[in-house]
Amino acid sequence: MHMFSDLKQELQTYLSPQQIKQVYNAYQFAARAHSGQKRHSGDPYISHPIAVAKILAQMRMDVQTIIVAILHDVIEDTPIEKTVLTTTFGNEIAELVDGMSKLTQIQFQSRAEAQAENFRKMLLAMAKDIRIIIIKLADRLHNMRTLSAVPAEKRHRIAKETLDIYAPIAQRLGMHIVRIELEDLCFLNLYPWRYRILQETVQKNRRKHKASIYKIESALKECLDKHHLPFHTIWHKKKHLYQIYKKMRENHLAFNEIIDVPIFCIIVDNIDSCYRVLGAVHNLYKPLPDHFHDYIALPKANGYQALHTTLFGPAATSIHIQIRTTMMDNGADHGIVSYWLEEKTKANALRPHLRAREWLKRLLDIQQTTPSSLEFMETVKIDLFPTDIYIFTPKGDIIELPHKATLIDFAYAIHSDIGNHCIAAKIDKHLVPLSTHLQSGQTVEIITDQKTFPDSRWLEFVATGRARSHIRQFFKNKQHNEAVQLGQRLLDNNLTPLGQDSTNIHFKNFSKTLQKFQYDSLENLLEAIGLGYIHPALVAYSLCSLKPNFKNQVNSLPLFLKNADNGLIKFAECCRPIPGDEIIGLLNAGHGLTVHLQRCKYAARLIKKNPERAISIQWEKQTNGFFKTDIYIETINQHGVLALLTHNIAKADANIENIKVESRDRKHSIIHFTLSVFNRKHLAKVIRFLRTIQCIIKISRHLSL
C-alpha cells in the first residue's frame, strides 16, 4: 500500500473516490502479476508502473489511462494474457495494454527490424487511441530517469533510441516539458562529461547576466503598465542544456553566441491582448527585420501558438519575445495533454489534439504504402519534425510543409493522384523546376497530366515521408505489374509447345504447383517468374505433371520484343543489342530478363555455367523507340575530326548519348560513341554517313581494333 500512497495523493486532486478505487484494484492486480520481479536498481518491479502512473496523474490523464499505465507491462513481462485483462478490466483497457506491448512472439532477423516492427505496432495502436503514445512517453521518461542502474552499452542504446524517436514524437505532439527532460537525460547518459561541463558553464553565465535580465524584465513590465496592458506574468525562459549543445555542435558556434540571445515570455488573457502587447514592445525596443512570426494566425504543426519577435535591446544586445495567452502557454508546455488539462470544449485545448489526429492520419497513409517496417520507420523519422513553412493553393487554402519541401512534396500533400501525375508547377504564376524549394507565403499551382507518372529521381530531393512513400509505392506497384505481365508471357511460351494453355490448366495442378514453389497465389508465382527467381519451363513442366528437361527448352516459343517499355527487360551494356540482331535472354534473380547478343562472349560463359537461365527471345518485325548501341571508330588524328563525326551522326538522325576519346598513338585515336538508333538498318545508315569521312580507318561495334 505504501507504494500506492504517493499516487493516491496525486489522484485525489482530480479523480472521484470510486475512480481511485478502480486504480487501486489495478495496482493490486499488477503487484500480484509482477510479484518477485526486480528492476536493475533492485527495486520491486511494480515501482516502475506506479511511477509511470504518477507522471500521467500529474498530467491529469483520465482513469483508464492511469489503469493502463499500471498494467502496461503485464502482458509483456508476465504469463497473464490479454483475455484475462479483458475479463477483469474490460475490452478498452485490454486493447490499450496490448498496444503498449512489444511483439515478443515473432522472430526477427535483427534488433533493428524488431525495433522497427514494434515502432510500427505502437504507431498503429496510437492511431486508434492516442493515449497509447502518451503512456509510452511517460514510460520512457521514467526509464530515462532511472537509467543509471542499467549496463553502459544498454544505457547508450536506450538513450540513442529516445533521442532519435521518442523526444521528436514528444515535440511533434507539443509536449515541450517531456521533450526537454528526455533530451537532457539522453545528453547526460550519452555524454556525461560534456553535460557536466556545459551545466557548470551555463550556471556561471546565468549568474553573470542576472542583473541585465532583471533590468529587461523591469523595462517590459513598466512598458506594459504605461500602456495599461494587463498581463499575468513576464518570465525569462532558460534554454535547456541539450538545446544549447545541439546548436553549438550543428552550427559550429561558440557558447556565448548561443547564450547571448535571452528569451522572455509574456503571458496575457486573450488574443487581442497579444497583438496589443506586441505593439507596445515594438515601441520599447526596435524590432529586427524578418524576425517576426505569427504562430497564432498560422500555428505550428504540433498546435503551438504564440507571437515571436526579436528586438534590438539595451547595450546593443538582441532579445527574443514570445507573447501568448494562458491557454496557449499551457498548450506550449503540454501539447496534446492540454486536451485533458483544460476543458475539452475549448478551442485552444482541442487544437493540439486535432493536429495530432491529422498527423496520425498521414502516418496511416504512409503505413499503407510502406510494407517494410524498417522503411516505414525511416519514413516516419523524416516526418517527425514539425512543419515550419506555409504554402497557399490558388484557392487560398494553406498547406503546411517542412523546411526544404519541394513542389513534389506540395503536390503529394494535396493528394497522391496529384503527385503521381504532376508534370509541372508554378510559384506565384511563374513556371519553375519541380525540385524548387518552397518558402512560406508562396502560392503554388500544380499542373497535371494523366499520361505522366513519377520519376525515380524525385526521391533524391523530396522532403516529406508522404511523398517518399507514395513514390516508392508507385514503383513497387509498377514493377509488380510488369513482373506479372512478363511472367505470364514467359509461362505461356513454355506451355504452348507442351499442348497446354494457362487458362485450361486443371485446378489441382495449379494447387500442387503453388504448393511446390511455396507461393499463395498464381499472381505471386507469375511475379516470381517475371523477376527471374523461377524459370518458366520449371513451372510449365510442373503444371503439365512432367519432369523438367532443359535439353528440350529450344522447343519453347520465343519471347517477342517490340520495345523497351517493361522495366524488367533490360539490354546488356556489354554488347548492347538492337532490333535486327540475333539475341538471347538471361534470367537474373530479382532483376528480370537481360537481353544479350547471341554471339556475346559474356552471355555464352553465363549460359555454359547455368543453362537454365537462358530464354529464347526474338525481335518483332516492327519495333518502337530508340535503342542504345556502341560503335568504335579508329581515326587519323586531324583537326576538326570529332566535329565531322558528330555532324554526320546527326545527319543520319541518330542521337549521341556519350563520347569517349582514347589516343592509340601519336597519329591515331579510338573514338567510342554510344548512340541511340531505331534498329540495325538505322545503324547501317549511320555507318554509311561516317564512311564518307576520309580520315576514318575502321568502324566496329566491338572494341577489337
Side-chain angles (χ1 to χ4, degrees):
M1 181 66 185
H2 68 281
M3 285 191 187
F4 186 74
S5 57
D6 285 346
L7 174 61
K8 182 180 178 181
Q9 192 173 352
E10 194 72 50
L11 295 174
Q12 284 174 336
T13 60
Y14 73 102
L15 290 185
S16 68
Q18 181 60 33
Q19 289 173 323
I20 294 173
K21 185 178 179 181
Q22 291 174 351
V23 175
Y24 181 65
N25 290 338
Y27 160 71
Q28 288 182 312
F29 183 94
R32 286 193 300 270
H34 291 293
S35 177
Q37 294 180 351
K38 300 282 186 181
R39 304 198 77 214
H40 282 285
S41 61
D43 295 332
Y45 193 89
I46 189 63
S47 64
H48 167 64
I50 290 295
V52 173
K54 187 176 178 182
I55 291 171
L56 294 166
Q58 290 166 349
M59 298 177 186
R60 300 297 185 265
M61 295 301 295
D62 60 333
V63 65
Q64 289 89 353
T65 306
I66 303 299
I67 291 172
V68 172
I70 293 172
L71 300 172
H72 78 268
D73 279 333
V74 165
I75 292 178
E76 184 179 340
D77 294 333
T78 76
I80 291 172
E81 296 181 354
K82 180 182 174 183
T83 51
V84 178
L85 291 183
T86 304
T87 304
T88 311
F89 298 99
N91 187 61
E92 181 183 4
I93 286 173
E95 287 293 334
L96 285 167
V97 174
D98 184 54
M100 289 289 298
S101 302
K102 294 178 182 175
L103 304 179
T104 53
Q105 304 303 316
I106 302 174
Q107 295 297 316
F108 296 102
Q109 293 181 356
S110 66
R111 179 185 290 276
E113 186 183 351
Q115 181 196 48
E117 189 57 41
N118 287 326
F119 180 67
R120 179 201 280 268
K121 183 189 178 188
M122 182 187 72
L123 287 180
L124 294 181
M126 174 176 121
K128 295 178 183 176
D129 196 318
I130 205 161
R131 290 175 293 181
I132 283 176
I133 191 58
I134 299 173
I135 301 168
K136 187 64 182 175
L137 288 171
D139 173 45
R140 183 52 62 111
L141 181 58
H142 183 253
N143 281 333
M144 289 301 301
R145 286 174 178 175
T146 57
L147 204 59
S148 58
V150 174
E153 185 180 346
K154 187 176 181 181
R155 187 164 66 241
H156 288 176
R157 176 174 57 79
I158 292 172
K160 185 72 169 61
E161 180 187 70
T162 303
L163 201 57
D164 287 346
I165 298 173
Y166 292 99
I169 288 178
Q171 181 178 1
R172 194 65 180 73
L173 298 177
M175 298 171 69
H176 183 66
I177 291 175
V178 173
R179 176 182 69 90
I180 284 177
E181 188 174 355
L182 284 175
E183 288 181 343
D184 280 353
L185 288 169
C186 290
F187 182 28
L188 172 63
N189 283 280
L190 287 170
Y191 308 107
W193 184 81
R194 297 180 195 181
Y195 179 93
R196 292 186 183 93
I197 293 295
L198 189 58
Q199 186 181 46
E200 291 173 7
T201 308
V202 167
Q203 288 172 350
K204 288 178 184 176
N205 186 79
R206 285 173 183 164
R207 288 194 293 268
K208 179 181 175 183
H209 292 90
K210 190 174 180 180
S212 60
I213 295 298
Y214 177 76
K215 184 178 179 181
I216 295 170
E217 277 186 10
S218 300
L220 289 170
K221 289 176 181 177
E222 288 177 14
C223 172
L224 298 185
D225 288 339
K226 178 182 175 182
H227 289 85
H228 306 290
L229 294 170
F231 60 91
H232 279 279
T233 183
I234 297 175
W235 54 280
H236 173 234
K237 187 176 181 180
K238 298 172 183 177
K239 292 186 177 75
H240 65 289
L241 294 182
Y242 180 73
Q243 182 184 22
I244 298 168
Y245 171 73
K246 186 179 177 183
K247 286 187 177 181
M248 289 173 65
R249 187 182 61 180
E250 291 182 353
N251 302 321
H252 306 287
L253 296 172
F255 175 78
N256 289 337
E257 292 177 282
I258 294 288
I259 214 72
D260 276 348
V261 182
I263 301 172
F264 294 89
C265 294
I266 303 175
I267 312 302
V268 296
D269 281 325
N270 51 56
I271 292 175
D272 182 62
S273 296
C274 290
Y275 290 98
R276 291 177 182 273
V277 167
L278 178 70
V281 297
H282 278 185
N283 282 327
L284 176 64
Y285 300 121
K286 296 294 182 186
L288 293 179
D290 302 322
H291 282 71
F292 169 68
H293 297 283
D294 188 344
Y295 293 121
I296 294 178
L298 296 171
K300 288 188 177 183
N302 57 13
Y304 173 85
Q305 287 186 291
L307 298 177
H308 286 202
T309 186
T310 304
L311 310 174
F312 194 73
T317 59
S318 295
I319 59 173
H320 188 70
I321 306 290
Q322 298 177 358
I323 307 166
R324 50 185 180 246
T325 66
T326 51
M327 288 188 67
M328 290 176 192
D329 187 52
N330 188 33
D333 285 340
H334 302 286
I336 191 173
V337 178
S338 62
Y339 178 74
W340 283 271
L341 287 168
E342 300 285 349
E343 293 177 30
K344 297 180 183 181
T345 54
K346 292 185 179 179
N348 280 58
L350 282 170
R351 185 182 297 277
H353 194 266
L354 294 174
R355 289 301 182 96
R357 287 285 178 198
E358 291 170 8
W359 177 56
L360 289 173
K361 282 178 66 178
R362 290 201 296 273
L363 287 187
L364 285 176
D365 185 36
I366 291 171
Q367 190 273 146
Q368 289 169 359
T369 57
T370 313
S372 163
S373 296
L374 287 169
E375 188 179 317
F376 175 67
M377 190 172 185
E378 173 198 338
T379 304
V380 172
K381 279 185 180 180
I382 295 169
D383 207 47
L384 267 177
F385 301 95
T387 57
D388 55 4
I389 62 171
Y390 303 89
I391 310 301
F392 292 90
T393 68
K395 293 182 179 180
D397 296 327
I398 297 173
I399 303 293
E400 299 174 5
L401 291 168
H403 180 56
K404 292 189 177 180
T406 65
L407 291 158
I408 296 297
D409 293 298
F410 178 84
Y412 278 104
I414 298 171
H415 196 278
S416 57
D417 282 344
I418 302 292
N420 284 340
H421 299 294
C422 175
I423 190 172
K426 294 179 180 179
I427 295 179
D428 298 330
K429 299 185 178 180
H430 296 288
L431 278 170
V432 292
L434 292 174
S435 59
T436 303
H437 289 165
L438 297 170
Q439 297 178 5
S440 277
Q442 292 176 325
T443 299
V444 173
E445 178 187 354
I446 300 295
I447 301 166
T448 60
D449 183 346
Q450 291 301 309
K451 296 178 182 178
T452 302
F453 298 101
D455 189 324
S456 59
R457 290 173 294 182
W458 291 357
L459 290 169
E460 297 172 8
F461 56 76
V462 292
T464 59
R466 178 184 172 86
R468 189 174 298 277
S469 66
H470 276 292
I471 295 167
R472 283 175 173 167
Q473 185 62 30
F474 172 82
F475 284 106
K476 283 177 183 175
N477 290 339
K478 182 174 182 286
Q479 186 188 61
H480 171 77
N481 294 334
E482 288 177 341
V484 171
Q485 181 188 40
L486 177 59
Q488 184 71 66
R489 290 174 64 192
L490 291 171
L491 180 59
D492 287 340
N493 286 350
N494 281 269
L495 282 171
T496 302
L498 298 174
Q500 292 289 345
D501 184 280
S502 59
T503 58
N504 297 323
I505 299 292
H506 195 276
F507 174 77
K508 287 184 178 179
N509 285 6
F510 264 127
S511 298
K512 287 180 181 178
T513 301
L514 290 174
Q515 188 175 3
K516 177 181 177 180
F517 292 100
Q518 297 181 338
Y519 287 95
D520 56 3
S521 68
L522 175 61
E523 185 175 325
N524 289 339
L525 179 61
L526 292 174
E527 181 186 22
I529 295 171
L531 288 171
Y533 288 117
I534 305 172
H535 196 285
L538 290 174
V539 179
Y541 283 121
S542 176
L543 289 171
C544 297
S545 301
L546 298 171
K547 290 183 179 181
N549 185 356
F550 282 103
K551 291 181 180 179
N552 296 331
Q553 193 204 333
V554 290
N555 295 327
S556 67
L557 295 180
L559 178 72
F560 284 92
L561 301 184
K562 188 174 184 178
N563 50 44
D565 285 349
N566 193 312
L568 290 170
I569 301 177
K570 300 179 178 66
F571 297 92
E573 294 187 6
C574 56
C575 54
R576 293 199 192 273
I578 58 175
D581 290 331
E582 291 184 346
I583 52 177
I584 191 166
L586 289 180
L587 289 172
N588 294 303
H591 301 285
L593 190 67
T594 304
V595 182
H596 290 262
L597 289 171
Q598 279 192 7
R599 64 179 185 273
C600 174
K601 294 178 181 178
Y602 178 68
R605 288 198 301 270
L606 293 177
I607 293 170
K608 186 177 180 180
K609 190 180 293 185
N610 297 297
E612 68 276 8
R613 290 179 59 183
I615 295 289
S616 176
I617 54 175
Q618 291 181 16
W619 296 105
E620 294 267 15
K621 288 183 179 179
Q622 296 293 327
T623 55
N624 297 330
F626 282 96
F627 297 82
K628 289 183 182 180
T629 191
D630 296 323
I631 59 171
Y632 297 85
I633 305 172
E634 184 180 7
T635 68
I636 299 170
N637 290 336
Q638 287 185 7
H639 181 71
V641 64
L642 189 58
L644 281 171
L645 292 170
T646 56
H647 175 70
N648 281 24
I649 290 170
K651 276 176 63 179
D653 301 319
N655 294 324
I656 299 172
E657 301 289 339
N658 195 24
I659 303 174
K660 291 181 182 178
V661 180
E662 179 185 340
S663 294
R664 196 168 195 188
D665 52 43
R666 293 179 64 185
K667 293 185 178 180
H668 303 89
S669 292
I670 297 172
I671 303 175
H672 171 202
F673 284 97
T674 300
L675 306 178
S676 287
V677 296
F678 294 118
N679 47 41
R680 278 177 68 92
K681 288 182 179 179
H682 189 193
L683 179 60
K685 177 183 176 182
V686 173
I687 292 173
R688 283 199 304 273
F689 274 65
L690 290 172
R691 290 195 187 281
T692 61
I693 301 171
Q694 293 182 355
C695 60
I696 288 181
I697 299 171
K698 191 174 182 180
I699 302 175
S700 172
R701 283 182 67 182
H702 302 283
L703 188 57
S704 57
L705 302 176

